[in-house]
Amino acid sequence: AQSVAQPEDQVNVAEGNPLTVKCTYSVSGNPYLFWYVQYPNRGLQFLLKYITGDNLVKGSYGFEAEFNKSQTSFHLKKPSALVSDSALYFCAVLSGGSYIPTFGRGTSLIVHP
Amino acid sequence: SQTIHQWPATLVQPVGSPLSLECTVEGTSNPNLYWYRQAAGRGLQLLFYSVGIGQISSEVPQNLSASRPQDRQFILSSKKLLLSDSGFYLCALGLAGTGANVLTFGAGSRLTVL
């Protein structure tokens, strides 16, 4: 079984400040972890993924995420937020051998000018 | 690279009417295809997935059905819509045989049932 939790419905941050969107997961075996972003009335877009290797993964638009096996977390981060980063962010997990990812409920990121 | 097309983009239908949402993909063969529903702009609910022509798996019981008549075509249907069918429907594709494939999503179809 696999599951993912995004404990925050909404994250508010001022433009220029660092941002973190939290994600924890549960999976049998080694996890494949993903972050997607959704802008209003659009489909999801892939940001980054962790498969193996370096725990710090860099992705699109200056985002990065850190895989922490002991805490079963995969938090999304960005050093300096932009107003244009405001969107809905989804974490997803996939266990080895499965092709159906489990998505979190999503976290709404609001970046204030 | 793979691309995915969904139509119609927006649909307003009366209760009890039929539904057909279409999804087609380009740039790949034998993809895994998925239909998700997103209610109230939040979490994704997997409705159906398909690993090949004519092969459909349903994740939740409901009055919706899916078909895959061609390798790159995935259709979501209903004979009689309910108010609760309103939502944002997303088609996605994943590359078959890759254990950590990234899903590519279409732009979505917004259905309002009145």
Side-chain angles (χ1 to χ4, degrees), chain A residues 38-87:
Chain A
Q38 184 183 32
Y39 297 100
N41 297 309
R42 302 302 300 271
L44 278 67
Q45 298 176 33
F46 169 72
L47 276 180
L48 53 80
K49 67 180 179 181
Y50 171 82
I51 307 301
T52 186
D54 194 349
N55 289 342
L56 185 63
V57 178
K58 294 188 182 296
S60 307
Y61 312 120
F63 284 94
E64 58 189 28
E66 186 167 10
F67 171 65
N68 188 317
K69 188 173 183 178
S70 63
Q71 297 185 7
T72 61
S73 67
F74 189 57
H75 300 332
L76 181 69
K77 300 180 180 183
K78 187 173 182 180
S80 179
L82 300 173
V83 172
S84 57
D85 292 331
S86 298

Side-chain angles (χ1 to χ4, degrees), chain B residues 23-80:
Chain B
C23 171
T24 58
V25 304
E26 296 176 355
T28 186
S29 297
N30 196 31
N32 295 328
L33 295 174
Y34 308 78
W35 276 113
Y36 287 90
R37 177 168 59 200
Q38 186 177 28
R42 292 314 297 255
L44 299 175
Q45 179 187 31
L46 178 63
L47 301 175
F48 301 95
Y49 65 93
S50 172
V51 298
I53 296 173
Q55 301 179 62
I56 309 294
S57 296
S58 174
E59 287 294 294
V60 291
Q62 56 210 335
N63 70 321
L64 299 172
S65 62
S67 62
R68 187 168 176 177
Q70 301 180 43
D71 182 46
R72 301 175 193 178
Q73 185 182 31
F74 202 26
I75 298 171
L76 184 69
S77 304
S78 174
K79 293 182 179 178
K80 289 186 178 181

